[in-house]
Amino acid sequence: MIFTSSTRDIPDASEMPRHVAIIMDGNGRWAKKRFLPRIAGHKRGVESVRSMVKACIDRGVEYLTVFAFSSENWRRPEDEVSFLMKLFISVLEAEIGKLNENGVRLKVVGDLSRFEPHLVELIQRGEALTAGNDRLTLTVAANYGGRWDIVQAVNRLSAEHPERAGNYVEADLAPYLSMAYAPEPDLFIRTGGEERISNFLLWQLAYTELYFTEQLWPAFDAAALDAAIASYRGRERRFGRTSQQLERPGSPAANDA
Ligand code: IPE
Ligand code: IPE
Ligand code: MG
């Protein structure tokens, strides 16, 4: 399935975001406030992912994408990185069956080559088991970087189509990006108070509505998601057009947009 590109066409903007992408930040600070080790925050953060999956299904959100580990997170202390890898493994082991029962399709995007074989195998098994599900597509971005994604796409495109090198257009690259199976995110949420993209979906966020909240990820719940969706509903998604064009949807200018 080919999805509308926000820069080449005007995507349908429905009341409920079809795709929500989240930077789950603030686990360490959540733990610190409770005099707990940072890893306790990561553990608790998994609960928030679980509740977000349910909340998205209940609300009819079709795609939920969560940033679990960035290509820059390897710079963290070794023991924290190794805890995060173990946590990823244990969560996959415990949750894949339940995700499948709930009709969730699991996808993992990122450079898997740095992960240990057991983790890669679990990811592949989980993706294969849930491939036919269509209630919600849950994408976990792990060892993901927006720049990595664009570079790997360019490399694959140029290897497959060397004859067009020098003349590539957006539509040529799009199918090689790691989230080509999903529409572009409608709503981006970053918890934890920082207002930056941190090398998340650089290409795909071109026209996404951005929402930043001070809430720390382990404390982010369904009510917090509803607040983000309410903010999203108040936005005017113009995709380059003027407000007047949106007010008169039948007008010729809006039609040619
Ligand atoms: C986000 O929480 C989780 C990961 C990056 C893995 P942090 O660990 O960044 O928490 P803070 O930002 O230090 O509070
Ligand atoms: C972004 O959080 C990455 C994830 C949530 C996985 P960070 O906490 O690593 O981001 P920076 O370093 O503060 O930008
Ligand atoms: Mg952080």
Side-chain angles (χ1 to χ4, degrees), residues 118-160:
H118 177 53
L119 177 52
V120 177
E121 195 198 309
L122 269 174
I123 290 169
Q124 289 166 346
R125 224 193 303 152
E127 287 187 334
L129 180 72
T130 62
N133 297 338
D134 60 5
R135 239 173 134 196
L136 173 77
T137 298
L138 169 66
T139 300
V140 178
N143 194 19
Y144 180 88
R147 292 185 178 181
W148 164 83
D149 196 1
I150 294 167
V151 170
Q152 68 79 26
V154 170
N155 284 331
R156 291 199 295 137
L157 169 62
S158 62
E160 288 183 28

Side-chain angles (χ1 to χ4, degrees), residues 16-33:
M16 187 54 71
R18 196 171 172 207
H19 183 175
V20 176
I22 308 182
I23 297 190
M24 313 184 286
D25 198 16
N27 293 352
R29 280 163 285 164
W30 181 90
K32 193 168 179 223
K33 280 211 301 206

Side-chain angles (χ1 to χ4, degrees), residues 170-204:
E170 267 189 48
D172 293 325
L173 195 68
Y176 293 91
L177 291 161
S178 53
M179 292 205 62
Y181 57 84
E184 293 172 32
D186 300 293
L187 172 62
F188 159 100
I189 299 170
R190 181 170 186 147
T191 62
E194 311 299 345
E195 300 192 350
R196 54 179 173 249
I197 304 289
S198 298
N199 199 15
F200 194 27
L201 302 162
L202 298 179
W203 176 285
Q204 296 85 347

